[in-house]
Amino acid sequence: MFRLAAILYSMIATSVAGTLIIAALTMGYDTLVPIVVVSAVGFVVSIPVTWWITKQITSKIV
């Protein structure tokens, strides 16, 4: 399950962080600090999302 989660995390974290960065840029936060904070939040938020999606996938297989 860890290998699947690692693969999914690389895709989910990029998508979530990218979406949050785009949202921050459209709200006018276009300096370095807000973009770094938002991207860090995106990578941290992606951990439980990845865990949940991995659990859903593995429960369907078994």
Side-chain angles (χ1 to χ4, degrees):
M1 185 168 111
F2 179 74
R3 287 176 46 184
L4 177 62
I7 293 168
L8 288 175
Y9 180 77
S10 66
M11 292 182 281
I12 293 169
T14 305
S15 300
V16 171
T19 302
L20 292 177
I21 289 171
I22 290 171
L25 290 172
T26 57
M27 289 187 288
Y29 298 108
D30 56 353
T31 59
L32 177 67
V33 174
I35 292 174
V36 170
V37 169
V38 168
S39 65
V41 168
F43 283 112
V44 171
V45 167
S46 298
I47 294 170
V49 173
T50 302
W51 177 80
W52 182 77
I53 291 174
T54 305
K55 290 296 255 185
Q56 294 294 319
I57 290 172
T58 56
S59 70
K60 303 287 185 197
I61 292 174
V62 175

